[in-house]
Amino acid sequence: MKKSVWLLSALSVLVCLTGCQDKGVKIGVSAPISGDIAALGQSTKNAVLLAQEEINAKGGITIGGTKQKVTFIIEDDENKPEAAATVFQKLINQDKVAAIIGSQSSKCSNAGAPIAEAAGIPQISPWSTNPNVTKDKRFVFRACFIDPFQGKAVAGFARGKMKAGTAAVLYDVASDYNKGIAEVFRNEFTKAGGKIVGFETYNTNDKDFSAQLSKIKGAAPDVLFLPNYFNDVPLQVQQARKLGMTCKFIGSDGWDNQELIKMGGKDMEGTYFSNHYSPDVDRPASKKFIASYAKKYNTQVDAAAALTYDSVYLLVNAMEKAGKLDSKAIRDALAGTKNFDGVTGVITYNGSGDPIKGAVMIRVENGKFVFDSAVN
Amino acid sequence: MLATAIQQLLNAAQLGAVYALIALGYTMVYGTIRLINFAHGDIFMLGGFIGFLLVAIIPGLPVAAMIPLAMLLTAMIGVLIERVAYRKLRNAQRMSLVITALGVGIFLENLVRILVGPQARQIPAQLPNKVLRLANGVVITEDKLLVILISLSLMVILWIFVNKTLLGTAMRAVADNRDAVQLMGVNLNLIIATTFAVGSALAAAGGIFFGQAYSIDPYMGIDLGWKAFIAAVIGGIGSIEGAVIGSFLLAGVEVLTVAYLSSNLKNGIAFGLLIILLLIRPNGIMGRAALKKV
Amino acid sequence: MAEHQGKTPLNFRNVAIATFIVAALVQFLGSVGLFNNYYLHILTVIGINIILVASLNLVNGYLGEFALGHAGFMAVGAYVAALIALKLHLPVLLRIPVSLAGGALAAGVIGYLVGRVTFKTVGDYLAIITLGFNMIIVNAIQNIDYLGGPRGLTAIPKGTDLATVALCTVLSYWILRNLVDSVYGRMWLCIRENAIAGELIGIDVNRVKNLAFTVAATFAGLAGGLYAGYQQFITPKSFDYLKTTDILVMLYLGGMGSLSGSILGVVAYTLLMELLRNILGLIAPQLADLRMLLSPLILVFIMLTRQYGLMGNREWRWLMPDRKQTGGEGA
């Protein structure tokens, strides 16, 4: 017993001693580095490190006339809410960060938000679409549009440009991102005069969707909406094609990753999805980021990376505008952001933590994501 | 109506074959040393990634060479894991071993994530994967037909191996009474190592087929491992034909729930039915009664 | 009572009181900014996890079964407590005890019903059935919009702080300890060692087993309620089999059949994970990635060097009731 007590005390002392004190601006990042959406965590990390390199190459962030180097402290939240809560506590109280970027999944952002709010530390979540994340919170922001906007955009596109009379949906019932958009789509598509003929679900980590797809095939929809992540979508489209389904496919911003084409190949041709931005649109901010990201990591930008990158610069912009590292001043500057020229579009915060920004529809053509139309 | 029903049965057969590929290796280890090998799903994943890397490193490697090579490498890793992480605990209480297996599983997942990356991958299709069109729009792809045939033939081969060969007889003897087997002068370490080698090799083959027909990612072994565990228990502990029957049954219940009840409640209904089944047959479908509690 | 225990101040009652006073003090210091809230958070999480792990120890350790559904009962407790807190609009002093009691009670009732069904089987079949119930509970919550579906419930009123958790942990521990030391505890051990022999000496095996199961589920529900009130946000995925495996790891790391081990297992595992996070980040940020690679290695290493976990079937004497008073000297 003595030994174990000694061991525990030694461990506790070590935990207490390791709080390090650096100079400069510290920004915390909570990301799913391991766990079931580790691929998104990788993109987050890439974008953050690229931004850190760029900012420090210019001498740092200009705060009140002096340049200060920035350090990002990236912590792994394992895509588990309780781990995210621990990460937020550590970043705020141990590392004394000025603000937090994160997390990607809504469930982790939701676990962190009350902590950031109580501590008065600004939080920007790149890609948490759940409306509750920012609801009734002053210090919590996001860089993406929320489900209602995107679901409506896609439903309008399916009814309008694709002239679909009937639609079916297949989505991950265990994930709030997928379920949120699926339900908005169902309502909006019906409201626009269309008919939903299939509304099927699967569970995260399923790889075989043939049962659901066979059922949908029986209902013969004009279009199949797949509001799911890029690692599932190619399997769904491939399996649907192999079952002999002839309908069109449409998706949401979860599709935005080159893996979609790498895995899906020819089967993805002619599909559409809504996204935050398009590499085709001639915007200097997008072009520059896409080029430097490709150069540094030898891979293409995805939605997670682009939104993270925008979150970082939204924050840096607010810090420079605030002129001091006071968290309340940063929060006020962030909330007052107008016409910020980001990678994923022009961003304005209008009182709440949800940005006002447009969406684009992307077409997959010859193995590339091609701009189709803009939705505002 | 009928066409959809037949299609759904084919879908269930495909899914069942995938479960069976994992459950077969699972039940071998499980039957021999009663280890709930939570790392088995991760060995399945590892086998798939070894196949993926082999294709990536040696371009043009024919599938007939890649599969045996990946099976061999994975078998070696399986034996290594047993030697390093399990052997010392063989006579400890059973649950210590279960936790060690969990640890090994988490280690493998994160090792592959760090070395290969977290993205989902597909092994470039080298197996025939044309779509076969049957009557009335019912379809099946060649690779999935192949997976069904392979898992059934593996079952037969494994059954012959376990029931008709000397090594297999020794394995069954170890399962029945480990101490007595040792008194008879059988090399226990050799038998258990063989079990792990065969189980891991099977998992590798499964992982490669899976990676061609679907996709592989570092964390896929968790869910599939649980499914295999469930299939093996439902079929009856340590029974090879039971593992296959359990796999097809689990897949059948899942697919038919989606097809005729509700995809939302797939897990709930599927597990509800399986629980009822276990209450009717408390030792699994092919299991022997009067299990000695450990 | 005190005069019998006399000799050493290190006895359960003193430690329990001290724990509660220190927790309340630390909570106060933390809320005024004099104590690092990160450590406060870790202590709170440790407290909640001790209740979870110690209660599962009744079934998996003392009774020797292999239940795999503890997170499911935690989910029941968390959701019921959250609903009470969200919908009933009680004053705060009433809200906290009512929501916690409601969560624990609901989990206990479900646990009793599940136990009735489950104990028709043993061993790995029991494992599958409990795992199945866990999955059914999570799947059901995902499909009930009133409970927020996969989005979960947000903005749950803050109902838990370190002082509340410490009080609940100490009380739970006291009850569990006395149960284990009671005649029921002996019966559980007897069933674990030889169920048939137990039956022959007149133990109502199913009833006694179900008692352990129900008590374990009740405390899992309490832990769930504490979790919901502390995190202020719950989602069905927080209670899936990954959570169950986390609980199992801490349980077996600490050692089966040892309540002291349950404390040690939780503390050691939590500190290990946080220590890795801090040390690796301190050495070099790039190494942070290795955390999830090193922690399972350390876990395997500990299991290999200490086969029965850190405290398997042993107890810290001072945490157990005084033998002279209970008179229950068995061996």
Side-chain angles (χ1 to χ4, degrees):
Chain A
M1 170 211 151
K2 284 233 177 66
K3 245 196 300 180
S4 46
V5 169
W6 274 111
L7 192 73
L8 284 185
S9 344
L11 282 175
S12 336
V13 169
L14 265 170
V15 170
C16 298
L17 282 179
T18 48
C20 56
Q21 298 297 326
D22 285 337
K23 289 240 162 59
V25 184
K26 283 198 283 187
I27 299 175
V29 179
S30 170
I33 302 296
S34 66
D36 54 0
I37 55 167
L40 293 183
Q42 184 73 46
S43 300
T44 313
K45 197 171 153 189
N46 286 349
V48 162
L49 292 178
L50 176 65
Q52 176 173 305
E53 204 171 83
E54 284 172 7
I55 297 167
N56 287 340
K58 282 191 232 150
I61 308 179
T62 316
I63 291 166
T66 56
K67 294 229 173 217
Q68 293 200 31
K69 294 256 184 214
V70 62
T71 316
F72 287 91
I73 300 165
I74 304 173
E75 289 289 353
D76 180 12
D77 61 38
E78 304 160 42
N79 198 27
K80 290 183 187 164
E82 48 272 47
T86 308
V87 164
F88 270 68
Q89 292 283 9
K90 178 194 178 249
L91 289 173
I92 292 172
N93 298 303
Q94 181 97 332
D95 301 318
K96 314 267 184 225
V97 296
I100 292 178
I101 308 274
S103 178
Q104 293 289 14
S105 71
S106 296
K107 66 176 178 208
C108 287
S109 297
N110 253 330
I115 297 165
E117 181 75 10
I121 297 288
Q123 170 192 359
I124 308 184
S125 163
W127 198 5
S128 295
T129 51
N130 183 335
N132 286 335
V133 173
T134 57
K135 201 173 153 205
D136 301 328
K137 298 197 182 71
R138 291 187 66 234
F139 284 86
V140 185
F141 297 81
R142 75 175 105 219
C144 56
F145 38 60
I146 56 174
D147 303 341
F149 177 73
Q150 190 174 197
K152 198 173 167 183
V154 178
F157 186 82
R159 276 297 289 150
K161 175 136 186 202
M162 292 173 96
K163 298 193 174 55
T166 55
V169 186
L170 172 66
Y171 68 95
D172 181 352
V173 70
S175 168
D176 60 347
Y177 161 77
N178 314 48
K179 192 176 184 211
I181 301 183
E183 282 173 352
V184 174
F185 177 87
R186 176 172 62 180
N187 296 340
E188 294 292 336
F189 192 78
T190 316
K191 228 191 274 172
K195 191 163 174 253
I196 298 287
V197 291
F199 203 67
E200 297 295 325
T201 61
Y202 64 97
N203 270 288
T204 319
N205 297 334
D206 280 359
K207 305 261 185 192
D208 189 302
F209 311 96
S210 38
Q212 292 90 330
L213 290 169
S214 301
K215 204 173 165 190
I216 291 172
K217 186 188 169 193
D222 295 334
V223 58
L224 175 57
F225 180 44
L226 300 167
N228 307 315
Y229 286 120
F230 57 86
N231 45 355
D232 289 344
V233 170
L235 296 178
Q236 290 158 358
V237 174
Q238 280 172 348
Q239 289 172 22
R241 298 249 199 236
K242 280 185 179 153
L243 279 170
M245 288 174 70
T246 50
C247 62
K248 291 189 172 117
F249 298 93
I250 187 166
S252 53
D253 60 328
W255 284 32
D256 183 18
N257 189 303
Q258 287 301 311
E259 296 289 326
L260 187 86
I261 292 171
K262 243 192 244 168
M263 263 171 65
K266 279 209 303 286
D267 288 328
M268 297 309 300
E269 287 295 310
T271 56
Y272 293 88
F273 64 95
S274 59
N275 202 6
H276 308 268
Y277 73 106
S278 159
D280 289 346
V281 179
D282 200 17
R283 288 167 32 81
S286 314
K287 293 239 151 155
K288 182 172 154 273
F289 173 58
I290 290 166
S292 39
Y293 193 89
K295 194 168 150 225
K296 188 165 157 86
Y297 300 111
N298 201 17
T299 174
Q300 296 200 37
V301 177
D302 59 9
L307 290 167
T308 307
Y309 188 82
D310 271 357
S311 308
V312 170
Y313 276 98
L314 275 166
L315 197 59
V316 169
N317 185 41
M319 284 174 168
E320 295 193 331
K321 225 165 53 177
K324 50 185 172 180
L325 274 179
D326 171 58
S327 54
K328 183 142 186 326
I330 298 174
R331 182 258 157 214
D332 290 341
L334 194 54
T337 304
K338 281 217 163 41
N339 299 325
F340 169 82
D341 191 24
V343 171
T344 63
V346 178
I347 297 170
T348 297
Y349 285 109
N350 200 3
S352 79
D354 301 330
I356 298 167
K357 61 196 280 198
V360 294
M361 293 302 300
I362 303 272
R363 187 171 67 239
V364 181
E365 198 175 284
N366 300 324
K368 283 208 165 65
F369 293 155
V370 179
F371 174 77
D372 188 86
S373 53
V375 192
N376 279 307
Chain B
M1 245 350 254
L2 186 67
T4 315
I6 294 171
Q7 182 70 59
Q8 293 290 18
L9 285 178
L10 278 179
N11 293 340
Q14 284 172 14
L15 189 62
V18 169
Y19 289 164
L21 281 175
I22 317 173
L24 278 173
Y26 204 104
T27 211
M28 278 204 66
V29 171
Y30 191 33
T32 312
I33 60 169
R34 287 288 182 271
L35 163 64
I36 301 175
N37 190 2
F38 277 125
H40 189 75
D42 299 297
I43 293 175
F44 177 84
M45 176 276 296
L46 192 68
F49 270 96
I50 289 178
F52 171 80
L53 288 177
L54 283 175
V55 176
I57 294 168
I58 317 170
L61 183 72
V63 69
M66 181 263 276
I67 294 178
L69 198 55
M71 285 172 79
L72 184 70
L73 287 172
T74 316
M76 284 159 64
I77 294 173
V79 172
L80 183 74
I81 290 173
E82 192 275 327
R83 179 69 193 87
V84 175
Y86 299 161
R87 184 173 295 182
K88 219 184 140 194
L89 291 176
R90 199 181 285 158
N91 295 315
Q93 58 181 349
R94 200 172 148 221
M95 289 310 143
S96 306
L97 207 49
V98 170
I99 294 306
T100 313
L102 257 174
V104 169
I106 300 172
F107 176 76
L108 291 179
E109 287 153 23
N110 286 286
L111 187 70
V112 172
R113 171 178 63 82
I114 290 170
L115 292 182
V116 192
Q119 291 84 10
R121 316 273 182 166
Q122 251 173 342
I123 302 176
Q126 292 184 312
L127 298 172
N129 64 347
K130 276 208 290 293
V131 179
L132 302 178
R133 289 185 198 288
L134 312 175
N136 277 337
V138 177
V139 293
I140 186 162
T141 52
E142 285 174 349
D143 53 351
K144 282 173 186 156
L145 199 62
L146 213 58
V147 172
I148 298 178
L149 291 177
I150 286 168
S151 57
L152 288 178
S153 27
L154 279 178
M155 183 196 105
V156 174
I157 294 170
L158 208 60
W159 192 87
I160 293 172
F161 174 69
V162 170
N163 288 301
K164 303 288 171 195
T165 66
L166 195 60
L167 210 53
T169 311
M171 273 180 199
R172 282 184 294 135
V174 170
D176 274 347
N177 192 332
R178 200 185 293 169
D179 297 333
V181 168
Q182 263 175 312
L183 288 176
M184 309 280 285
V186 175
N187 185 342
L188 189 65
N189 286 338
L190 180 73
I191 301 296
I192 293 180
T194 314
T195 311
F196 270 88
V198 175
S200 306
L202 280 178
I208 291 169
F209 293 129
F210 194 82
Q212 299 206 350
Y214 302 100
S215 67
I216 47 174
D217 66 77
Y219 294 93
M220 72 177 201
I222 306 174
D223 277 48
L224 288 170
W226 283 109
K227 291 267 166 80
F229 173 41
I230 293 160
V233 172
I234 290 195
I237 291 168
S239 154
I240 287 166
E241 53 276 45
V244 174
I245 294 173
S247 302
F248 281 102
L249 189 77
L250 178 64
V253 169
E254 283 189 358
V255 167
L256 294 179
T257 306
V258 170
Y260 297 107
L261 295 166
S262 154
S263 54
N264 288 354
L265 297 170
K266 185 184 82 177
N267 278 357
I269 294 176
F271 273 102
L273 291 175
L274 295 176
I275 287 172
I276 292 171
L277 177 91
L278 274 187
L279 294 178
I280 298 169
R281 282 196 68 88
N283 289 302
I285 297 167
M286 304 295 285
R288 283 171 294 174
L291 214 101
K292 207 172 83 187
K293 212 177 68 171
V294 189
Chain C
M1 277 192 112
E3 64 268 327
H4 289 286
Q5 297 185 333
K7 274 179 275 168
T8 163
L10 193 66
N11 61 44
F12 181 77
R13 200 187 59 158
N14 291 356
V15 171
I17 295 171
T19 306
F20 178 67
I21 293 174
V22 169
L25 188 69
V26 164
Q27 175 66 45
F28 172 73
L29 289 177
S31 61
V32 296
L34 289 173
F35 186 82
N36 188 329
N37 274 294
Y38 169 48
Y39 306 145
L40 190 67
H41 169 76
I42 293 175
L43 291 174
T44 314
V45 171
I46 285 177
I48 296 175
N49 282 337
I50 285 176
I51 301 180
L52 275 174
V53 172
S55 60
L56 186 61
N57 209 340
L58 286 193
V59 179
N60 287 30
Y62 290 91
L63 193 53
E65 290 293 354
F66 187 42
L68 277 176
H70 218 46
F73 300 117
M74 191 187 171
V76 173
Y79 270 89
V80 170
L83 283 182
I84 292 174
L86 275 170
K87 309 280 173 184
L88 285 191
H89 306 293
L90 297 168
V92 67
L93 276 181
L94 206 57
R95 189 186 75 217
I96 295 171
V98 169
S99 63
L100 289 178
L105 192 70
V109 170
I110 301 273
Y112 174 76
L113 295 175
V114 173
R116 286 291 298 261
V117 176
T118 308
F119 284 119
K120 291 190 172 163
T121 60
V122 289
D124 300 320
Y125 302 102
L126 181 138
I128 293 290
I129 291 188
T130 48
L131 172 70
F133 272 107
N134 191 347
M135 290 196 171
I136 289 173
I137 288 170
V138 169
N139 190 229
I141 297 173
Q142 275 167 353
N143 282 290
I144 300 173
D145 283 332
Y146 184 71
L147 300 177
R151 286 208 163 137
L153 291 172
T154 43
I156 301 165
K158 186 99 187 160
T160 311
D161 57 14
L162 184 59
T164 330
V165 169
L167 185 66
C168 291
T169 308
V170 167
L171 275 178
S172 312
Y173 201 90
W174 180 72
I175 295 172
L176 290 173
R177 175 198 78 150
N178 287 355
L179 260 175
V180 163
D181 202 61
S182 73
V183 62
Y184 288 107
R186 305 296 151 84
M187 289 196 232
W188 291 332
L189 289 184
C190 171
I191 292 171
R192 178 177 84 186
E193 297 308 327
N194 195 330
I196 297 166
E199 218 157 339
L200 286 176
I201 57 168
I203 298 176
D204 184 347
V205 173
N206 277 342
R207 198 178 65 88
V208 173
K209 273 181 166 182
N210 206 2
L211 177 74
F213 205 70
T214 309
V215 172
T218 309
F219 283 106
L222 175 67
L226 288 169
Y227 175 87
Y230 180 66
Q231 194 98 309
Q232 296 179 265
F233 163 67
I234 47 174
T235 158
K237 272 222 183 138
S238 303
F239 308 105
D240 63 4
Y241 50 75
L242 290 178
K243 180 74 191 177
T244 302
T245 37
D246 276 354
I247 302 172
L248 286 179
V249 164
M250 289 187 271
L251 171 62
Y252 291 110
L253 179 65
M256 288 204 292
S258 160
L259 288 177
S260 326
S262 295
I263 299 182
L264 198 62
V266 172
V267 175
Y269 185 73
T270 315
L271 282 186
L272 170 72
M273 294 305 277
E274 290 313 307
L275 203 63
L276 279 176
R277 190 195 290 287
N278 282 283
I279 288 183
L280 290 173
L282 196 67
I283 301 169
Q286 305 90 287
L287 291 183
D289 227 17
L290 298 181
R291 176 168 160 264
M292 295 304 282
L293 202 61
L294 290 176
S295 57
L297 279 185
I298 295 172
L299 177 70
V300 170
F301 177 77
I302 295 177
M303 292 316 289
L304 286 177
T305 45
R306 305 199 63 142
Q307 303 190 350
Y308 295 92
L310 295 169
M311 292 286 289
N313 294 322
R314 292 180 298 138
E315 295 283 0
W316 288 327
R317 283 294 312 146
W318 50 274
L319 279 175
M320 294 314 283
D322 195 337
R323 287 282 175 229
K324 265 174 261 161
Q325 285 176 42
T326 57
E329 195 69 69

